[in-house]
Amino acid sequence: MWSWSPRSNVLLPQSAGTYNIFKKINQADHVKTIYSFLLLASVSASVSATNCPQHFAAGLAPMIVNQKMAAATQELCYEGYGAMHSGVTRTPLWSAEHLTRANLEVAQSLSREDSFHPDPNLLINGRAELKDYSRSGYDRGHMSPNSDFSTRTAQYESFSLGNIVPQDANNNRQIWSGVERSTRRLAKAQGELYVITGPAFLGNSLNRVGNVLVPTHLYKVVYSPMLNQAAAYFVANTATSNYSVISISMLEAKIGINLLPGVSQSVKNTAMQLPAPTPYSRNESGYTQVGIDQISSASAAAGAGAINYVQGSKLVNAAPAIAATVQFIRNIGR
Amino acid sequence: MSEFQPFKNESQTVEIGNLKIENRLDKVSIYGDIDITQDKIGLNHARTLKSMFDQVVSTLEAAELPDAIQAPVVKSVPNPF
């Protein structure tokens, strides 16, 4: 692989003015990246091009490392997200979005109707149909969530089964919904985030509903261009109140996908602090951050509440300029 | 809005405030939260919800119902990855 440092680590935004300069530097780097990407494309089969670079940090889509997962994959490029669909699991392997404050402010929810639908851009013999999910007991869990989107088209596209996995109903409606709300709040506070959401299929056996495999876990990668930091929420696909915040490197090793090929290894190795999942009501007891070893497989996680311990993710030495943001992240959850 | 047909399809979904309503063949899922505010927006939301519940009740009343729906069928398969 190439070695490319996506951002100057010394250049941190001090104000809106310097932030614009920072953006220009990023764009210059971006061009350089695409150039090195073209040079390397011929020597590495695992480098995959994307038709929608706008959804990915540095314009680079994730790359599948575990080649078993590359079978029967198809990229989906939509207005609000870009996804890689697997005809083996009949789910996305990832779904990526670039959240911006401006778009999220337009997305404030109104009454709206929509419809879940099989994805017409996917091969019929490798995609989920509505009947796969019917009477399954599972919710149709969005990876890139509908509430992130500000146009009718983007909202409709989020209901494609190419953006959906079978998700435990309680998980979908409680903790994961809280993860999504906290991610939106963080994006509004910071101005922008690159987010990648997907399923993990871990262990020897998996549940299947219809022709669709049920993920054992869910992840949400958050990359902050402003801080040049990243981390991922990691949650078992069960009725759980436990979540973990892990480094991108750790997540990549677990799931066999290079999620942020445009971000330096040092950034991936250290988990930034992420806000706790936002509960609907402040009267709720909220959610407990636990170490990754406490995020168990689907069957064991439901009863894991007894041995919670809090392990704060390691915080990068924060420059004074970002201290306010860090404080915000600490406060945002509750 | 187009007519909500409870238990007739797996596709229809409505979002009112933070409340999500999803049509399934064996259930109608309703989750999230909503404030019915004492204003025109609140009245609009309340009417939408009432009309949906009226349809759910009348559909259930008109059907021959089991005591409880059947437990879901979930198979266990080897992990292909």
Side-chain angles (χ1 to χ4, degrees):
Chain A
M1 287 300 104
W2 69 93
S3 60
W4 170 70
S5 177
R7 312 280 187 270
S8 158
N9 284 322
V10 290
L11 233 189
L12 282 167
Q14 305 286 328
S15 68
T18 48
Y19 187 62
N20 286 337
I21 295 164
F22 183 67
K23 288 285 285 184
K24 280 179 190 141
I25 290 166
N26 285 349
Q27 281 161 8
D29 270 1
H30 184 146
V31 170
K32 198 165 66 189
T33 306
I34 290 171
Y35 182 59
S36 16
F37 171 79
L38 290 172
L39 284 177
L40 282 156
S42 56
V43 295
S44 173
S46 62
V47 173
S48 59
T50 175
N51 288 315
C52 41
Q54 70 274 20
H55 299 308
F56 304 102
L60 293 178
M63 298 184 304
I64 294 170
V65 177
N66 174 358
Q67 286 306 311
K68 288 180 189 167
M69 299 176 79
T73 48
Q74 260 186 279
E75 183 179 55
L76 293 171
C77 278
Y78 288 128
E79 183 182 310
Y81 69 93
M84 185 60 74
H85 183 268
S86 164
V88 175
T89 61
R90 304 200 183 207
T91 67
L93 297 176
W94 66 75
S95 181
E97 337 155 57
H98 181 207
L99 294 184
T100 64
R101 184 186 293 139
N103 281 344
L104 287 171
E105 279 166 0
V106 180
Q108 308 290 356
S109 62
L110 299 166
S111 299
R112 54 200 187 189
E113 296 170 69
D114 226 311
S115 54
F116 288 93
H117 57 275
D119 197 300
N121 294 313
L122 293 172
L123 295 170
I124 286 175
N125 61 5
R127 75 183 187 194
E129 302 292 339
L130 289 168
K131 66 177 163 49
D132 288 317
Y133 285 87
S134 69
R135 304 181 198 278
S136 70
Y138 286 95
D139 273 13
R140 284 85 52 98
H142 285 75
M143 295 295 89
S144 290
N146 175 45
S147 302
D148 287 356
F149 299 123
S150 54
T151 70
R152 290 294 302 150
T153 302
Q155 287 166 1
Y156 177 74
E157 288 168 348
S158 82
F159 283 94
S160 154
L161 294 183
N163 181 46
I164 299 282
V165 305
Q167 187 171 6
D168 176 88
N170 176 285
N171 185 294
N172 178 41
R173 302 168 192 188
Q174 302 287 332
I175 191 168
W176 199 252
S177 177
V179 166
E180 291 171 348
R181 281 195 296 281
S182 289
T183 305
R184 279 193 290 275
R185 291 171 70 187
L186 188 60
K188 282 185 196 168
Q190 298 213 347
E192 63 167 334
L193 292 176
Y194 287 94
V195 178
I196 308 173
T197 311
F201 299 93
L202 306 180
N204 294 328
S205 62
L206 298 170
N207 286 338
R208 193 180 73 189
V209 294
N211 290 315
V212 181
L213 292 180
V214 180
T216 54
H217 300 79
L218 301 163
Y219 67 84
K220 190 180 283 291
V221 167
V222 173
Y223 171 67
S224 161
M226 184 172 90
L227 299 176
N228 190 27
Q229 291 180 6
Y233 293 98
F234 193 72
V235 175
N237 186 16
T238 59
T240 180
S241 58
N242 292 344
Y243 70 100
S244 197
V245 172
I246 60 176
S247 70
I248 304 306
S249 306
M250 182 182 280
L251 177 61
E252 289 177 340
K254 274 185 177 297
I255 66 173
I257 298 171
N258 178 350
L259 290 157
L260 292 173
V263 170
S264 74
Q265 198 59 46
S266 63
V267 169
K268 289 189 188 188
N269 287 346
T270 308
M272 74 182 278
Q273 231 181 30
L274 293 178
T278 313
Y280 269 118
S281 156
R282 283 176 191 277
N283 295 329
E284 285 178 43
S285 56
Y287 303 108
T288 306
Q289 185 175 347
V290 300
I292 184 62
D293 52 327
Q294 299 296 309
I295 302 294
S296 41
S297 66
S299 54
I307 32 172
N308 294 342
Y309 62 90
V310 175
Q311 179 189 310
S313 53
K314 200 169 80 183
L315 187 61
V316 178
N317 292 330
I322 63 170
T325 305
V326 171
Q327 191 59 46
F328 171 82
I329 293 169
R330 288 198 177 119
N331 295 338
I332 193 172
R334 301 309 306 267
Chain B
M1 74 181 195
S2 65
E3 199 185 351
F4 188 75
Q5 300 179 292
F7 318 110
K8 294 289 190 292
N9 62 66
E10 287 265 316
S11 59
Q12 280 184 301
T13 172
V14 181
E15 203 166 309
I16 306 170
N18 287 323
L19 207 62
K20 292 178 168 64
I21 300 154
E22 294 181 6
N23 207 10
R24 308 294 296 262
L25 294 181
D26 59 343
K27 60 190 174 184
V28 174
S29 298
I30 303 168
Y31 58 95
D33 69 348
I34 187 170
D35 284 327
I36 303 294
T37 45
Q38 196 176 18
D39 54 20
K40 288 174 181 169
I41 298 167
L43 176 59
N44 213 6
H45 285 166
R47 281 181 174 147
T48 305
L49 283 171
K50 181 173 184 300
S51 121
M52 296 189 77
F53 274 102
D54 286 345
Q55 279 162 318
V56 169
V57 171
S58 63
T59 305
L60 288 172
E61 282 174 346
E64 197 167 316
L65 298 174
D67 292 336
I69 59 170
Q70 290 189 332
V73 179
V74 178
K75 288 183 185 135
S76 184
V77 297
N79 187 342
F81 301 146

